[in-house]
Each structure stands twice: as structure tokens, then as C-alpha cells.
Amino acid sequence: MQSLVPKTPSVSAKLARKGVIPAAFLAALSSPLAHQTLERWEGNILYVYADHLAYGLPTYCAGRTDWKATVGTQLTDDQCRAVNKVTLLEYGFAVLECADWNYLTPTRLVALTIFAVNVGKVGACNSQAVKAINSGDIAGGCKLLAYKLDGSPNWAYAGGRFVQGLHNRRKAEYSLCLRKE
């Protein structure tokens, strides 16, 4: 049987060129805040299920996806803890790769990582939100996590339909992104 616990990600060459990752950022990705926020919004499902919002993509633990995972496979609490740790590091490293560290705080990194887990690494890194934050517009960038420039909900649609739960999540990420610590 395939192991559903992915390997701990290594630092990419692109990320390594940015320098040593600050200890505060690494601590943030393994913090109770990161784990609790991830599990709050993704749940922590101890079996593989077909996510109907993601066209049947096999999903498990706190939002981990893998087309090769067999729907119905059971996991233990310990396995999901390990999966969630790797997920936070993997998506956090992706955010660190594309974000300007001068405009990150540990809490903002957690918010953007949780956002990336939901919308994908490329979606997050190419988002107007990250681009605005990278330009120094923290308030505007954080707001773009939840609202488009016209004030309508942003990143709150699945299959072309508005999902209130996604909008609630985006508003929570927006709030977390603005926190000073």
C-alpha cells in the first residue's frame, strides 16, 4: 500500500538563493496557530474522500490532496499529524519562495500558507494579494484575500458557485494577514 504521508519537503534552489529562512518563519509554520488554523478550515479527516468541490480530487487529513490516493483508505491521528506538518512546510516554503520577506510576519506567513493550501501554490503566488503584499501594500494585499477590488467576494467560488464557507475562510485569512505579529 502506498504511504499517504509525504516526505518532508526540502528547500528548493530558488528558496535557498533567498538566504537562510528566518527561525521565526520556520517556527510559525510548525506553530499551534498554523496547525489549528489549518485544521479549523480544512478539517482533519482520517480517511481519503473524493472532494466534490475539487472535482473528486482524493483528499485527506487537513486538505492534503493526491490523485494517486485510494478513496476510503483510513489513516491514524499520528499519520494525519505527520501529513499536516509536511503540508504546512511544503506550502509555507512555496509562499516563502514567492513572497518578499520584508513584508512578511510569522502570522502573515501562516495566513498566506493556509490560503495556498486551499487555492494551490501557483494560485496563491500568482494572486493579486501576494503581488500587492510584495509591493508593500499590506492592507490592500491582505484585503484581496477576501475581496476583489470592486468589493465582491474573492476566492470564494467553487464550480462557478459562491460558497459562503469559502468566503468565511477568506475573511479569516484576511484578518490573520493583517495581524502585526
Side-chain angles (χ1 to χ4, degrees):
M1 179 174 89
Q2 167 204 4
S3 172
L4 294 176
V5 180
K7 291 183 167 92
T8 300
S10 57
V11 173
S12 69
K14 182 177 179 181
L15 183 53
R17 282 192 293 278
K18 290 181 92 170
V20 175
I21 299 171
F25 290 163
L26 292 173
L29 293 174
S30 60
S31 70
L33 173 66
H35 285 271
Q36 290 165 1
T37 305
L38 177 66
E39 289 183 12
R40 174 177 183 213
W41 293 109
E42 291 289 346
N44 196 37
I45 310 301
L46 301 180
Y47 60 89
V48 179
Y49 65 95
D51 187 341
H52 69 280
L53 291 177
Y55 305 104
L57 180 60
T59 304
Y60 55 98
C61 299
R64 188 75 189 186
T65 58
D66 183 351
W67 280 111
K68 296 176 187 171
T70 303
V71 171
T73 302
Q74 297 289 313
L75 293 101
T76 66
D77 282 326
D78 286 343
Q79 287 173 315
C80 275
R81 264 192 292 283
V83 167
N84 297 344
K85 177 181 176 182
V86 170
T87 298
L88 286 165
L89 288 173
E90 180 183 325
Y91 284 79
F93 285 1
V95 170
L96 286 169
E97 208 174 271
C98 69
D100 185 326
W101 297 359
N102 293 309
Y103 301 114
L104 286 183
T105 63
T107 306
R108 187 165 299 126
L109 173 60
V110 169
L112 293 174
T113 298
I114 301 305
F115 173 64
V117 168
N118 189 241
V119 305
K121 298 170 202 162
V122 173
C125 285
N126 289 335
S127 70
Q128 291 177 320
V130 169
K131 289 175 184 176
I133 290 168
N134 284 347
S135 74
D137 181 6
I138 304 304
C142 291
K143 186 173 183 178
L144 283 165
L145 291 172
Y147 299 99
K148 296 177 185 177
L149 293 174
D150 67 6
S152 64
N154 203 12
W155 296 99
Y157 296 83
R161 297 177 62 181
F162 176 77
V163 178
Q164 185 63 54
L166 286 175
H167 190 54
N168 294 344
R169 177 185 182 141
R170 297 288 96 85
K171 291 188 297 185
E173 292 161 351
Y174 169 29
S175 177
L176 193 58
C177 182
L178 286 176
R179 282 180 33 188
K180 300 291 183 202
E181 69 277 350

